Amino acid sequence: MTPVVSAALGALGPLLVKLSGLLAGEYGRLKGVRREIRSLESELTTMHAALEEYTKLEDPSGQVKAWISLVRELAYDTEDIFDKFIHHLGKRGHRGGFKEFLRKITLPLKTLGARCEIADQIDDLKDRIKQVKDLKDSYKLNDVPSSTTGHLALDPRLHAVFAEEAHLVGVDGPRDDLAKWMVEEGSNSSKPRKVLSIVGFGGLGKTTLANEIYRKIQGQFDCKAFVSVSQKPDIKKIMKDVISQVSCQGGSTNDTSDWDEIKSISKLRELLQNKRYLIIIDDIWSAQAWKTIKCAFPENSCSSRIIVTTRIIDVAKSCCLGGDDQMYELKSLSDLHSRILFFTRIFGSGKNCPDMLEEVSNNILKKCGGLPLAIISIAGLLANRPAIKEEWEKVKRSIGSALEKTKSLEGMSSILSLSYNDLAPNLKTCLLYLSLFPEDHVIERTRLVRLWIAEGFISEERGQSKQEAAENYFYELINKSMVQPVDIGFDGKVRACRVHDMMLELIISKSVEGNFTTVVGGGQNLENQQGYIRRLSIQYIDKELASALVNVDISHVRTLIVMPSCCIKHLPALDQFEALRVLDFEGCKDLKDSDMNGMDKLFQLKYLNFRGTDISKLPSGIVMLGNLETLVSGYTGVHELPAGFGRLTKLQHLEGRGWILPDGIGDMKNLQLMSGFVIASSKTDVLEDLGNLTSLKELKVDLRPANRIFDKVSCEDKRCEEAFLSSLCKLGTCKLRSLDISLSCASLDFLDSWSPLPSSLQRFSTDYKYSFTKFPKWITPALTNLADLCICLTEMTEDDLVTLGQVPSLLRLFLWPSNKLVATVQRNSFLNLKVLDFGFKTERAYVTFVKGSAPKLEELTITFSVSAAKANGFYSGIEHLSSLKEAKIYLDDEDATPSECKAAAAEIRKEAGANPNHLALTFEGESDSEGEDNEETSGSDEEGGSDTDEDNEETSGSDEKSKGEGDTDES
């Protein structure tokens, strides 16, 4: 599918949804309007159907591309006109009485000029639609076949199959390890068939690795075959290919030309039934294809082996359902291996890089990102050019455009395009959107899915909300290896993603071709802009670029994303962007209050992000943005919301930091997330309003006096407690999933009477040392969805720990009691827990683990009282924690001698050594003399544990980060 089709579908799909909504709503009942909308909807639906047919074309003609571009621009302009129509017509019928009567009389007069203009624009639209329709007929596009046929392109994977072993770099280690695993029989005497699935990004070397394993072990097998599957597998041909290969190795068969799939599979099973076979199934794209193919390979007891390669994680998993199977995720080449491969291909040696080329070669290798195919392709391009810096710089700058135009990079482009072409149209649109972000940019999942929703790319499907559907799209792009996951949390959820530089070059190229996005400061030339700018990313801007932007029509820009590196003073005024739906200034430190002038003119705005800027107040005009759905303004100087803020009734996500929550929020019933707000103890009206927000899924609130330094009003105020508890009880019957409460005094013991509890509650967190004086009564095993709990207590008992151990879904627990806690974590408790943190606040704590407790625990932070443990031989029980990867232990030396502390540390190290995971063990509070020993213990798993260490850094973090903002999850 071509990018222009993706971009057009991304424009037309949201428009059809909008027109359908207008017909079903009050505007569809207006005289004359319904007929116009229905006519437009009918014509555009026909065009949408045609676009879907063109998605099947592998190489559409120039006429098809031209027609698609016309449809795309038509869709954008149609949506803009109807948005203006809705805005100027105004809301109808929401208030009664004389004022409403007067408004209905005067409204047509006030908006007469605008409505006449819109009527003229609709007439123009109808003319354009007719022209586009006629053009399709004149081009005879109705006769275009649904798929293209012709000569078959050379398979870009062939070089991997026939690559010379001497030319390969970085393959030896994985090849030898996996080859050893392939021929191992294990303890199972039945010698079962085993499957190895190799998964990774396109161009990473999966086929090469599979072929090297094949070469190394093929002599140990009776029958061997290597077949490629492709995106549209011909099962009959695949079976015949395998049959022909195994028949040449001792078998024999008749002519297979007239065999169907069933006969081919049956014959292959017959040939292999009592043979030890080795089969490579290369580049499989669907679990269904594997399900069919595997039927041909009998599960005999001859130690047969199958190697499968795929780019899709779910497919790789579906191939490895047997207990003896293995999935291997292929990683990028290391920096060292990348350099060796790169310079060997150019100079014949991995060490002969001239000094003048060192810097530019490092930049080129960084863009290749350890992707062997990219390194080989670009090295081949450079090998034919003079080895001078200017020539190499020219190649580096033009890699994106060269992907499509340069012969030596055709293979690279083909490999990446295979992955892109395999995506569904809606996923293509979402992927193209990532071209708005610069290379190496880490894009938060929450931010990205909200942007997709604001753009109209996401629809509710099969009972899923838009949020859930968008999250599924995000994970599907990861699953298909189109984007790389960053920061995987304790719950397995990916917090952010990054796009490989080579994939980013490809989607930028496709986005530009389809006029989907425009980037200023990213090498894109505004002078060559085709059509109106619709989505604009400003990654760098100076006076020269600002002058170029002035000469471009920006009134049709729907999305404006400004990167932190930009100089805001060079940007055009906001009121020039009258069609904006998305405005994102995240991280722009030099954004000032005055830069927000004209905000009230952006009536179509749905998404507004000021997070990490230097603004001190929100513009008062923000209350005019009646379509606003997301407002993010954390880590700014803003502390108050403007008067009338409660009028933003479409708002769904409201994210701040330290904001004083105003009166009048009770009508904001669409709010799903509200984070970072201070409620003064005297504001009982605001606390009561919280109970009216029945769509809330996530609430993060600060129950402190508005003036934290001078105002000494206490949160013990009974009216405050009663109002807050009453609201929580109302929310208990709704969808509340996450509740974070901050407070600086008193306690939350009044929550003992919280009822009913929200059955959907997944996270509860408090940050004050004495949040509860005793263990809360409402925490019971009945909270079957509670996965993340952080509480601070004055006092805790072993019975309380037993209760927590029976909460079935608990994955992460921050438990900070202040009293002396001596307890044992019992067998069959904390069955799913992955992170357990007792903090360093517990006094004289001694908690031990028995065999069968916390079987999935990966991270442990705990205080270990040496004096309390002395009678038990300093036993900790961590050798029983079979999944433990990292343990941080604070040695409490109160009432203990230095020799006892040393003995305790030695015993814990001994137990850690007995743990099968070779876990990373660190001590806090140990004497300096042990520091060197500490380092050795922590690094004991250096060779095989680098990935684990990185994950631990990302997912555990400091106490505040782990349980604080940015870690909640509204899904």
Side-chain angles (χ1 to χ4, degrees), residues 447 538 561-568 571 584-592 595 609-615 636:
R447 180 186 184 188
I538 302 182
I561 297 180
V562 183
M563 290 298 149
S565 56
C566 288
C567 183
I568 300 297
L571 294 183
D584 194 322
F585 283 109
E586 180 162 323
C588 295
K589 284 292 185 183
D590 60 341
L591 185 73
K592 307 300 180 187
D595 297 320
N609 186 351
F610 291 136
R611 182 165 55 189
T613 67
D614 278 348
I615 63 170
T636 65

Side-chain angles (χ1 to χ4, degrees), residues 326-337:
Q326 179 181 349
M327 184 181 87
Y328 179 78
E329 191 166 353
L330 191 58
K331 303 295 184 184
S332 304
L333 289 180
S334 67
D335 290 344
L336 175 61
H337 283 142

Side-chain angles (χ1 to χ4, degrees), residues 878-884 910-919:
I878 62 174
E879 78 271 25
H880 300 312
L881 302 175
S882 56
S883 299
L884 195 62
K910 178 181 176 183
E911 293 183 34
N915 189 297
N917 281 344
H918 306 291
L919 60 96

Side-chain angles (χ1 to χ4, degrees), residues 215-235:
R215 286 176 179 176
K216 191 174 181 67
I217 66 175
Q218 61 179 330
Q220 303 181 40
F221 294 84
D222 304 324
C223 299
K224 304 171 286 291
F226 190 122
V227 291
S228 293
V229 175
S230 79
Q231 288 173 311
K232 299 176 181 178
D234 183 339
I235 300 298

Side-chain angles (χ1 to χ4, degrees), residues 121-135:
Q121 290 175 343
I122 290 177
D123 286 339
D124 289 342
L125 276 179
K126 290 160 67 176
D127 290 340
R128 285 175 62 187
I129 288 174
K130 185 178 185 304
Q131 291 170 10
V132 171
K133 186 178 179 181
D134 292 344
L135 198 58

Side-chain angles (χ1 to χ4, degrees), residues 168 203 221 226 393 516 542 723 786 889 926 968:
L168 302 177
F221 294 84
F226 190 122
E393 287 282 3
F516 191 73
D542 54 18
L786 188 63
I889 296 178
E926 196 176 15
T968 57

